[in-house]
Amino acid sequence: MHFDLFDLTGRTALITGSSLGIGFALAKGLAAHGAAVVVNGRDEARAEAAARAIREAGGEVVVSCFDVTDAEAVNAAIADIEAQRPIDILVNNAGMQFRTPLQDFPDDKWELLLKTNVTSAYLVGKAVAHRMIARGAGKIINIASVQSELARPGIAPYTATKGAIRNLTKGMATDWARHNIQANAIAPGYFKTPLNQALVDDPAFTAWLEKRTPAGRWGEVEELIAAAVFLAGKGSSFINGHTLYVDGGITASI
């Protein structure tokens, strides 16, 4: 008997910020499980390269480059995608980091972090949800972080944005669950990504992380795919407003 709780055949998934890092890994993973994926990013050449890699692996993919922090651009892009195919799955992954002590944090970087990490999920989530509500079905996956739960020196504003994503996820679930929309979050721990490259290259930080994480290592982005496939598929039909930590046990341990 075909086990279809993780089969995404016939579904379309938009993944924001998916030209590299976690977003790219999730786009590849959802495509491998049958979804047609929409790759999004600010750099068109990089997004096209990501799409080629997914296509070469046998996935169905299109590219939609738009600014996820601009309401007008978001609404136009979602309307354009929806004119071609319904968005069944949305992964709000776009994000950025800027590290400096809180007392020295530049105000313009605070605003940029809020726009990129929180406003984007609000704008894209709302635009897509309008269509999902009309269809009576949808899956939204927001990318949170261990910093939704914990803080670390030098990244207080980032921590604030990821805490907001965790609670925005709860709010989406509360408002939209009645429309058969499941809104959940994945909270990665420390993964080897371009966003974390400075930390990966720092032997002292890596040594600290290996001691601090019960699993004793960095995560590999491919280890996030199963969580995304589960939350995007039929198996999560009664899971809503949940944040799933994929972190090697770091939030479970002191």
Side-chain angles (χ1 to χ4, degrees), residues 148-195:
S148 298
E149 187 73 25
L150 303 171
R152 190 172 63 77
I155 58 167
Y158 180 84
T159 301
T161 65
K162 289 303 182 178
I165 285 295
R166 182 184 178 197
N167 266 15
L168 179 60
T169 301
K170 293 181 179 182
M172 287 176 169
T174 301
D175 276 11
W176 299 337
R178 71 196 69 174
H179 303 291
N180 191 32
I181 296 170
Q182 289 83 54
N184 294 288
I186 296 172
Y190 283 87
F191 281 76
K192 293 179 180 177
T193 67
L195 201 67

mmCIF file of all heavy atoms in Angstrom, residues 148-195:
data_model
loop_
_atom_site.group_PDB
_atom_site.id
_atom_site.type_symbol
_atom_site.label_atom_id
_atom_site.label_comp_id
_atom_site.label_asym_id
_atom_site.label_seq_id
_atom_site.Cartn_x
_atom_site.Cartn_y
_atom_site.Cartn_z
ATOM 1 N N SER A 148 14.545 31.636 18.982
ATOM 2 C CA SER A 148 13.155 31.883 19.370
ATOM 3 C C SER A 148 12.967 31.598 20.857
ATOM 4 O O SER A 148 11.997 32.045 21.470
ATOM 5 C CB SER A 148 12.210 30.991 18.557
ATOM 6 O OG SER A 148 12.305 31.267 17.183
ATOM 7 N N GLU A 149 13.903 30.830 21.413
ATOM 8 C CA GLU A 149 13.809 30.371 22.800
ATOM 9 C C GLU A 149 14.967 30.864 23.657
ATOM 10 O O GLU A 149 14.811 31.063 24.857
ATOM 11 C CB GLU A 149 13.789 28.831 22.805
ATOM 12 C CG GLU A 149 13.538 28.185 24.141
ATOM 13 C CD GLU A 149 12.095 28.316 24.608
ATOM 14 O OE1 GLU A 149 11.215 28.472 23.744
ATOM 15 O OE2 GLU A 149 11.856 28.278 25.822
ATOM 16 N N LEU A 150 16.134 31.027 23.036
ATOM 17 C CA LEU A 150 17.359 31.329 23.769
ATOM 18 C C LEU A 150 18.034 32.574 23.211
ATOM 19 O O LEU A 150 17.811 32.943 22.061
ATOM 20 C CB LEU A 150 18.340 30.150 23.646
ATOM 21 C CG LEU A 150 17.859 28.776 24.097
ATOM 22 C CD1 LEU A 150 18.873 27.714 23.704
ATOM 23 C CD2 LEU A 150 17.605 28.752 25.599
ATOM 24 N N ALA A 151 18.871 33.180 24.008
ATOM 25 C CA ALA A 151 19.676 34.323 23.553
ATOM 26 C C ALA A 151 21.150 33.972 23.641
ATOM 27 O O ALA A 151 21.551 33.039 24.340
ATOM 28 C CB ALA A 151 19.375 35.557 24.403
ATOM 29 N N ARG A 152 21.952 34.746 22.917
ATOM 30 C CA ARG A 152 23.404 34.610 22.952
ATOM 31 C C ARG A 152 23.987 36.007 22.771
ATOM 32 O O ARG A 152 23.393 36.840 22.067
ATOM 33 C CB ARG A 152 23.869 33.669 21.826
ATOM 34 C CG ARG A 152 25.307 33.257 21.903
ATOM 35 C CD ARG A 152 25.620 32.184 20.861
ATOM 36 N NE ARG A 152 25.442 32.658 19.496
ATOM 37 C CZ ARG A 152 26.297 33.441 18.847
ATOM 38 N NH1 ARG A 152 27.409 33.860 19.439
ATOM 39 N NH2 ARG A 152 26.070 33.805 17.610
ATOM 40 N N PRO A 153 25.103 36.320 23.383
ATOM 41 C CA PRO A 153 25.645 37.679 23.278
ATOM 42 C C PRO A 153 25.844 38.124 21.825
ATOM 43 O O PRO A 153 26.290 37.348 20.984
ATOM 44 C CB PRO A 153 26.992 37.585 24.006
ATOM 45 C CG PRO A 153 26.816 36.464 24.978
ATOM 46 C CD PRO A 153 25.930 35.471 24.278
ATOM 47 N N GLY A 154 25.472 39.372 21.547
ATOM 48 C CA GLY A 154 25.747 39.970 20.255
ATOM 49 C C GLY A 154 24.671 39.836 19.206
ATOM 50 O O GLY A 154 24.813 40.375 18.105
ATOM 51 N N ILE A 155 23.570 39.127 19.534
ATOM 52 C CA ILE A 155 22.526 38.934 18.519
ATOM 53 C C ILE A 155 21.129 39.200 19.086
ATOM 54 O O ILE A 155 20.147 38.592 18.646
ATOM 55 C CB ILE A 155 22.581 37.521 17.904
ATOM 56 C CG1 ILE A 155 22.444 36.436 18.975
ATOM 57 C CG2 ILE A 155 23.860 37.326 17.096
ATOM 58 C CD1 ILE A 155 22.172 35.060 18.393
ATOM 59 N N ALA A 156 21.031 40.124 20.022
ATOM 60 C CA ALA A 156 19.741 40.386 20.666
ATOM 61 C C ALA A 156 18.634 40.747 19.675
ATOM 62 O O ALA A 156 17.509 40.225 19.783
ATOM 63 C CB ALA A 156 19.891 41.475 21.724
ATOM 64 N N PRO A 157 18.868 41.633 18.693
ATOM 65 C CA PRO A 157 17.794 41.946 17.746
ATOM 66 C C PRO A 157 17.358 40.734 16.909
ATOM 67 O O PRO A 157 16.172 40.548 16.651
ATOM 68 C CB PRO A 157 18.403 43.052 16.878
ATOM 69 C CG PRO A 157 19.368 43.729 17.800
ATOM 70 C CD PRO A 157 19.989 42.588 18.553
ATOM 71 N N TYR A 158 18.320 39.902 16.506
ATOM 72 C CA TYR A 158 17.972 38.682 15.782
ATOM 73 C C TYR A 158 17.099 37.782 16.652
ATOM 74 O O TYR A 158 16.090 37.226 16.194
ATOM 75 C CB TYR A 158 19.245 37.947 15.372
ATOM 76 C CG TYR A 158 19.003 36.660 14.604
ATOM 77 C CD1 TYR A 158 18.784 36.683 13.232
ATOM 78 C CD2 TYR A 158 19.011 35.422 15.257
ATOM 79 C CE1 TYR A 158 18.576 35.508 12.528
ATOM 80 C CE2 TYR A 158 18.801 34.247 14.557
ATOM 81 C CZ TYR A 158 18.586 34.291 13.194
ATOM 82 O OH TYR A 158 18.366 33.127 12.501
ATOM 83 N N THR A 159 17.480 37.656 17.915
ATOM 84 C CA THR A 159 16.690 36.869 18.858
ATOM 85 C C THR A 159 15.271 37.417 18.976
ATOM 86 O O THR A 159 14.304 36.650 19.010
ATOM 87 C CB THR A 159 17.382 36.864 20.238
ATOM 88 O OG1 THR A 159 18.684 36.304 20.104
ATOM 89 C CG2 THR A 159 16.592 36.083 21.259
ATOM 90 N N ALA A 160 15.146 38.736 19.000
ATOM 91 C CA ALA A 160 13.821 39.358 19.064
ATOM 92 C C ALA A 160 12.991 39.002 17.835
ATOM 93 O O ALA A 160 11.797 38.695 17.939
ATOM 94 C CB ALA A 160 13.955 40.876 19.191
ATOM 95 N N THR A 161 13.621 39.017 16.649
ATOM 96 C CA THR A 161 12.861 38.705 15.436
ATOM 97 C C THR A 161 12.424 37.248 15.416
ATOM 98 O O THR A 161 11.308 36.938 14.977
ATOM 99 C CB THR A 161 13.669 39.012 14.160
ATOM 100 O OG1 THR A 161 14.819 38.155 14.051
ATOM 101 C CG2 THR A 161 14.112 40.473 14.117
ATOM 102 N N LYS A 162 13.264 36.360 15.886
ATOM 103 C CA LYS A 162 12.900 34.947 15.846
ATOM 104 C C LYS A 162 11.881 34.595 16.946
ATOM 105 O O LYS A 162 11.076 33.676 16.773
ATOM 106 C CB LYS A 162 14.158 34.079 15.948
ATOM 107 C CG LYS A 162 15.015 34.139 14.690
ATOM 108 C CD LYS A 162 14.231 33.733 13.447
ATOM 109 C CE LYS A 162 15.068 33.736 12.190
ATOM 110 N NZ LYS A 162 14.306 33.300 10.992
ATOM 111 N N GLY A 163 11.907 35.328 18.045
ATOM 112 C CA GLY A 163 10.832 35.184 19.014
ATOM 113 C C GLY A 163 9.508 35.638 18.417
ATOM 114 O O GLY A 163 8.454 35.035 18.653
ATOM 115 N N ALA A 164 9.562 36.697 17.633
ATOM 116 C CA ALA A 164 8.355 37.188 16.960
ATOM 117 C C ALA A 164 7.823 36.160 15.967
ATOM 118 O O ALA A 164 6.605 35.972 15.863
ATOM 119 C CB ALA A 164 8.660 38.507 16.247
ATOM 120 N N ILE A 165 8.719 35.495 15.250
ATOM 121 C CA ILE A 165 8.275 34.465 14.298
ATOM 122 C C ILE A 165 7.557 33.333 15.017
ATOM 123 O O ILE A 165 6.529 32.817 14.552
ATOM 124 C CB ILE A 165 9.479 33.925 13.493
ATOM 125 C CG1 ILE A 165 9.905 34.932 12.438
ATOM 126 C CG2 ILE A 165 9.154 32.584 12.845
ATOM 127 C CD1 ILE A 165 8.877 35.186 11.342
ATOM 128 N N ARG A 166 8.075 32.938 16.164
ATOM 129 C CA ARG A 166 7.412 31.867 16.924
ATOM 130 C C ARG A 166 5.984 32.269 17.289
ATOM 131 O O ARG A 166 5.042 31.475 17.137
ATOM 132 C CB ARG A 166 8.224 31.559 18.187
ATOM 133 C CG ARG A 166 7.655 30.430 19.022
ATOM 134 C CD ARG A 166 8.444 30.256 20.297
ATOM 135 N NE ARG A 166 7.874 29.202 21.123
ATOM 136 C CZ ARG A 166 8.127 29.038 22.410
ATOM 137 N NH1 ARG A 166 8.960 29.861 23.026
ATOM 138 N NH2 ARG A 166 7.577 28.072 23.094
ATOM 139 N N ASN A 167 5.802 33.509 17.752
ATOM 140 C CA ASN A 167 4.463 33.928 18.148
ATOM 141 C C ASN A 167 3.586 34.299 16.960
ATOM 142 O O ASN A 167 2.364 34.142 17.020
ATOM 143 C CB ASN A 167 4.542 35.082 19.157
ATOM 144 C CG ASN A 167 4.502 34.571 20.588
ATOM 145 O OD1 ASN A 167 4.687 33.375 20.825
ATOM 146 N ND2 ASN A 167 4.252 35.455 21.536
ATOM 147 N N LEU A 168 4.184 34.774 15.869
ATOM 148 C CA LEU A 168 3.403 34.998 14.646
ATOM 149 C C LEU A 168 2.834 33.672 14.154
ATOM 150 O O LEU A 168 1.681 33.618 13.679
ATOM 151 C CB LEU A 168 4.284 35.635 13.568
ATOM 152 C CG LEU A 168 3.617 35.905 12.218
ATOM 153 C CD1 LEU A 168 2.434 36.866 12.374
ATOM 154 C CD2 LEU A 168 4.630 36.458 11.213
ATOM 155 N N THR A 169 3.609 32.617 14.280
ATOM 156 C CA THR A 169 3.139 31.285 13.902
ATOM 157 C C THR A 169 1.916 30.895 14.720
ATOM 158 O O THR A 169 0.929 30.372 14.188
ATOM 159 C CB THR A 169 4.266 30.246 14.096
ATOM 160 O OG1 THR A 169 5.389 30.625 13.292
ATOM 161 C CG2 THR A 169 3.809 28.860 13.711
ATOM 162 N N LYS A 170 1.963 31.153 16.018
ATOM 163 C CA LYS A 170 0.795 30.865 16.869
ATOM 164 C C LYS A 170 -0.407 31.701 16.442
ATOM 165 O O LYS A 170 -1.548 31.222 16.427
ATOM 166 C CB LYS A 170 1.135 31.149 18.334
ATOM 167 C CG LYS A 170 2.163 30.202 18.926
ATOM 168 C CD LYS A 170 2.429 30.541 20.390
ATOM 169 C CE LYS A 170 3.434 29.583 20.999
ATOM 170 N NZ LYS A 170 3.687 29.861 22.426
ATOM 171 N N GLY A 171 -0.157 32.964 16.094
ATOM 172 C CA GLY A 171 -1.240 33.830 15.657
ATOM 173 C C GLY A 171 -1.850 33.374 14.344
ATOM 174 O O GLY A 171 -3.082 33.400 14.173
ATOM 175 N N MET A 172 -0.994 32.959 13.404
ATOM 176 C CA MET A 172 -1.503 32.436 12.134
ATOM 177 C C MET A 172 -2.387 31.210 12.363
ATOM 178 O O MET A 172 -3.466 31.085 11.778
ATOM 179 C CB MET A 172 -0.328 32.057 11.220
ATOM 180 C CG MET A 172 0.423 33.221 10.635
ATOM 181 S SD MET A 172 1.855 32.639 9.658
ATOM 182 C CE MET A 172 2.348 34.157 8.832
ATOM 183 N N ALA A 173 -1.925 30.323 13.224
ATOM 184 C CA ALA A 173 -2.708 29.121 13.527
ATOM 185 C C ALA A 173 -4.044 29.484 14.156
ATOM 186 O O ALA A 173 -5.092 28.928 13.796
ATOM 187 C CB ALA A 173 -1.912 28.203 14.454
ATOM 188 N N THR A 174 -4.015 30.418 15.074
ATOM 189 C CA THR A 174 -5.236 30.803 15.783
ATOM 190 C C THR A 174 -6.272 31.405 14.837
ATOM 191 O O THR A 174 -7.468 31.117 14.939
ATOM 192 C CB THR A 174 -4.895 31.807 16.900
ATOM 193 O OG1 THR A 174 -3.955 31.196 17.794
ATOM 194 C CG2 THR A 174 -6.132 32.210 17.684
ATOM 195 N N ASP A 175 -5.825 32.227 13.896
ATOM 196 C CA ASP A 175 -6.750 32.870 12.961
ATOM 197 C C ASP A 175 -7.161 31.963 11.810
ATOM 198 O O ASP A 175 -8.282 32.078 11.297
ATOM 199 C CB ASP A 175 -6.112 34.141 12.391
ATOM 200 C CG ASP A 175 -6.286 35.342 13.304
ATOM 201 O OD1 ASP A 175 -6.706 35.155 14.463
ATOM 202 O OD2 ASP A 175 -5.996 36.468 12.863
ATOM 203 N N TRP A 176 -6.264 31.086 11.372
ATOM 204 C CA TRP A 176 -6.493 30.390 10.102
ATOM 205 C C TRP A 176 -6.763 28.901 10.215
ATOM 206 O O TRP A 176 -7.128 28.267 9.216
ATOM 207 C CB TRP A 176 -5.295 30.625 9.174
ATOM 208 C CG TRP A 176 -5.072 32.070 8.840
ATOM 209 C CD1 TRP A 176 -5.998 33.076 8.877
ATOM 210 C CD2 TRP A 176 -3.836 32.683 8.421
ATOM 211 N NE1 TRP A 176 -5.426 34.271 8.509
ATOM 212 C CE2 TRP A 176 -4.103 34.071 8.222
ATOM 213 C CE3 TRP A 176 -2.550 32.207 8.191
ATOM 214 C CZ2 TRP A 176 -3.113 34.965 7.801
ATOM 215 C CZ3 TRP A 176 -1.560 33.091 7.776
ATOM 216 C CH2 TRP A 176 -1.849 34.460 7.588
ATOM 217 N N ALA A 177 -6.635 28.312 11.388
ATOM 218 C CA ALA A 177 -6.860 26.865 11.516
ATOM 219 C C ALA A 177 -8.279 26.480 11.103
ATOM 220 O O ALA A 177 -8.501 25.407 10.530
ATOM 221 C CB ALA A 177 -6.593 26.410 12.950
ATOM 222 N N ARG A 178 -9.246 27.362 11.363
ATOM 223 C CA ARG A 178 -10.645 27.073 11.013
ATOM 224 C C ARG A 178 -10.845 26.935 9.506
ATOM 225 O O ARG A 178 -11.858 26.400 9.056
ATOM 226 C CB ARG A 178 -11.556 28.170 11.565
ATOM 227 C CG ARG A 178 -11.436 29.503 10.854
ATOM 228 C CD ARG A 178 -12.043 30.639 11.641
ATOM 229 N NE ARG A 178 -11.240 30.911 12.838
ATOM 230 C CZ ARG A 178 -11.464 31.928 13.658
ATOM 231 N NH1 ARG A 178 -12.460 32.760 13.426
ATOM 232 N NH2 ARG A 178 -10.704 32.103 14.717
ATOM 233 N N HIS A 179 -9.883 27.424 8.735
ATOM 234 C CA HIS A 179 -9.942 27.324 7.277
ATOM 235 C C HIS A 179 -9.126 26.144 6.753
ATOM 236 O O HIS A 179 -8.807 26.090 5.563
ATOM 237 C CB HIS A 179 -9.431 28.622 6.645
ATOM 238 C CG HIS A 179 -10.175 29.840 7.078
ATOM 239 N ND1 HIS A 179 -11.488 30.091 6.703
ATOM 240 C CD2 HIS A 179 -9.811 30.869 7.883
ATOM 241 C CE1 HIS A 179 -11.886 31.237 7.237
ATOM 242 N NE2 HIS A 179 -10.892 31.718 7.966
ATOM 243 N N ASN A 180 -8.777 25.220 7.633
ATOM 244 C CA ASN A 180 -7.973 24.048 7.282
ATOM 245 C C ASN A 180 -6.579 24.439 6.798
ATOM 246 O O ASN A 180 -6.012 23.822 5.904
ATOM 247 C CB ASN A 180 -8.679 23.170 6.234
ATOM 248 C CG ASN A 180 -8.001 21.819 6.051
ATOM 249 O OD1 ASN A 180 -7.430 21.257 6.986
ATOM 250 N ND2 ASN A 180 -8.050 21.301 4.834
ATOM 251 N N ILE A 181 -6.048 25.479 7.414
ATOM 252 C CA ILE A 181 -4.660 25.880 7.174
ATOM 253 C C ILE A 181 -3.848 25.509 8.409
ATOM 254 O O ILE A 181 -4.231 25.868 9.528
ATOM 255 C CB ILE A 181 -4.552 27.389 6.905
ATOM 256 C CG1 ILE A 181 -5.299 27.758 5.615
ATOM 257 C CG2 ILE A 181 -3.084 27.825 6.819
ATOM 258 C CD1 ILE A 181 -5.437 29.250 5.397
ATOM 259 N N GLN A 182 -2.762 24.771 8.197
ATOM 260 C CA GLN A 182 -1.865 24.437 9.301
ATOM 261 C C GLN A 182 -0.628 25.338 9.205
ATOM 262 O O GLN A 182 0.087 25.308 8.207
ATOM 263 C CB GLN A 182 -1.448 22.968 9.258
ATOM 264 C CG GLN A 182 -2.566 21.996 9.608
ATOM 265 C CD GLN A 182 -3.471 21.684 8.421
ATOM 266 O OE1 GLN A 182 -2.996 21.282 7.362
ATOM 267 N NE2 GLN A 182 -4.769 21.858 8.586
ATOM 268 N N ALA A 183 -0.425 26.147 10.227
ATOM 269 C CA ALA A 183 0.728 27.052 10.295
ATOM 270 C C ALA A 183 1.626 26.612 11.439
ATOM 271 O O ALA A 183 1.225 26.642 12.607
ATOM 272 C CB ALA A 183 0.270 28.488 10.502
ATOM 273 N N ASN A 184 2.829 26.189 11.104
ATOM 274 C CA ASN A 184 3.790 25.718 12.098
ATOM 275 C C ASN A 184 5.169 26.303 11.791
ATOM 276 O O ASN A 184 5.367 26.944 10.761
ATOM 277 C CB ASN A 184 3.844 24.185 12.094
ATOM 278 C CG ASN A 184 2.536 23.565 12.550
ATOM 279 O OD1 ASN A 184 2.196 23.624 13.736
ATOM 280 N ND2 ASN A 184 1.787 22.990 11.615
ATOM 281 N N ALA A 185 6.098 26.092 12.692
ATOM 282 C CA ALA A 185 7.452 26.620 12.498
ATOM 283 C C ALA A 185 8.478 25.520 12.715
ATOM 284 O O ALA A 185 8.262 24.592 13.511
ATOM 285 C CB ALA A 185 7.724 27.780 13.451
ATOM 286 N N ILE A 186 9.581 25.641 12.010
ATOM 287 C CA ILE A 186 10.764 24.819 12.256
ATOM 288 C C ILE A 186 11.821 25.737 12.842
ATOM 289 O O ILE A 186 12.087 26.811 12.303
ATOM 290 C CB ILE A 186 11.294 24.180 10.960
ATOM 291 C CG1 ILE A 186 10.261 23.214 10.382
ATOM 292 C CG2 ILE A 186 12.609 23.449 11.221
ATOM 293 C CD1 ILE A 186 10.633 22.689 9.003
ATOM 294 N N ALA A 187 12.395 25.325 13.961
ATOM 295 C CA ALA A 187 13.420 26.127 14.627
ATOM 296 C C ALA A 187 14.758 25.397 14.544
ATOM 297 O O ALA A 187 15.046 24.515 15.356
ATOM 298 C CB ALA A 187 13.037 26.382 16.083
ATOM 299 N N PRO A 188 15.581 25.755 13.561
ATOM 300 C CA PRO A 188 16.888 25.086 13.452
ATOM 301 C C PRO A 188 17.821 25.510 14.583
ATOM 302 O O PRO A 188 17.770 26.641 15.078
ATOM 303 C CB PRO A 188 17.432 25.583 12.105
ATOM 304 C CG PRO A 188 16.242 26.140 11.379
ATOM 305 C CD PRO A 188 15.338 26.671 12.452
ATOM 306 N N GLY A 189 18.684 24.596 14.961
ATOM 307 C CA GLY A 189 19.788 24.936 15.848
ATOM 308 C C GLY A 189 20.913 25.535 15.020
ATOM 309 O O GLY A 189 20.671 26.307 14.086
ATOM 310 N N TYR A 190 22.139 25.171 15.329
ATOM 311 C CA TYR A 190 23.283 25.713 14.604
ATOM 312 C C TYR A 190 23.636 24.802 13.434
ATOM 313 O O TYR A 190 24.077 23.671 13.622
ATOM 314 C CB TYR A 190 24.467 25.904 15.552
ATOM 315 C CG TYR A 190 24.296 27.122 16.418
ATOM 316 C CD1 TYR A 190 23.611 27.048 17.625
ATOM 317 C CD2 TYR A 190 24.781 28.359 15.997
ATOM 318 C CE1 TYR A 190 23.424 28.177 18.418
ATOM 319 C CE2 TYR A 190 24.603 29.493 16.775
ATOM 320 C CZ TYR A 190 23.919 29.398 17.976
ATOM 321 O OH TYR A 190 23.735 30.521 18.742
ATOM 322 N N PHE A 191 23.411 25.330 12.229
ATOM 323 C CA PHE A 191 23.639 24.577 11.001
ATOM 324 C C PHE A 191 24.727 25.244 10.179
ATOM 325 O O PHE A 191 24.909 26.461 10.231
ATOM 326 C CB PHE A 191 22.347 24.498 10.172
ATOM 327 C CG PHE A 191 21.383 23.463 10.681
ATOM 328 C CD1 PHE A 191 20.630 23.696 11.822
ATOM 329 C CD2 PHE A 191 21.241 22.251 10.028
ATOM 330 C CE1 PHE A 191 19.760 22.745 12.306
ATOM 331 C CE2 PHE A 191 20.361 21.291 10.503
ATOM 332 C CZ PHE A 191 19.628 21.529 11.640
ATOM 333 N N LYS A 192 25.419 24.429 9.415
ATOM 334 C CA LYS A 192 26.439 24.952 8.506
ATOM 335 C C LYS A 192 25.759 25.599 7.310
ATOM 336 O O LYS A 192 25.314 24.916 6.387
ATOM 337 C CB LYS A 192 27.361 23.813 8.039
ATOM 338 C CG LYS A 192 28.227 23.224 9.132
ATOM 339 C CD LYS A 192 29.086 22.087 8.593
ATOM 340 C CE LYS A 192 29.966 21.483 9.674
ATOM 341 N NZ LYS A 192 30.747 20.324 9.185
ATOM 342 N N THR A 193 25.656 26.931 7.344
ATOM 343 C CA THR A 193 25.019 27.686 6.276
ATOM 344 C C THR A 193 25.857 28.926 5.980
ATOM 345 O O THR A 193 26.691 29.333 6.806
ATOM 346 C CB THR A 193 23.605 28.154 6.692
ATOM 347 O OG1 THR A 193 23.731 29.108 7.752
ATOM 348 C CG2 THR A 193 22.735 26.994 7.145
ATOM 349 N N PRO A 194 25.616 29.581 4.834
ATOM 350 C CA PRO A 194 26.311 30.843 4.565
ATOM 351 C C PRO A 194 26.077 31.891 5.658
ATOM 352 O O PRO A 194 26.975 32.677 5.968
ATOM 353 C CB PRO A 194 25.711 31.282 3.224
ATOM 354 C CG PRO A 194 25.330 30.006 2.552
ATOM 355 C CD PRO A 194 24.838 29.121 3.662
ATOM 356 N N LEU A 195 24.883 31.892 6.263
ATOM 357 C CA LEU A 195 24.572 32.839 7.327
ATOM 358 C C LEU A 195 25.469 32.636 8.547
ATOM 359 O O LEU A 195 25.786 33.578 9.276
ATOM 360 C CB LEU A 195 23.095 32.693 7.732
ATOM 361 C CG LEU A 195 22.421 33.857 8.445
ATOM 362 C CD1 LEU A 195 22.293 35.061 7.517
ATOM 363 C CD2 LEU A 195 21.033 33.447 8.931
#
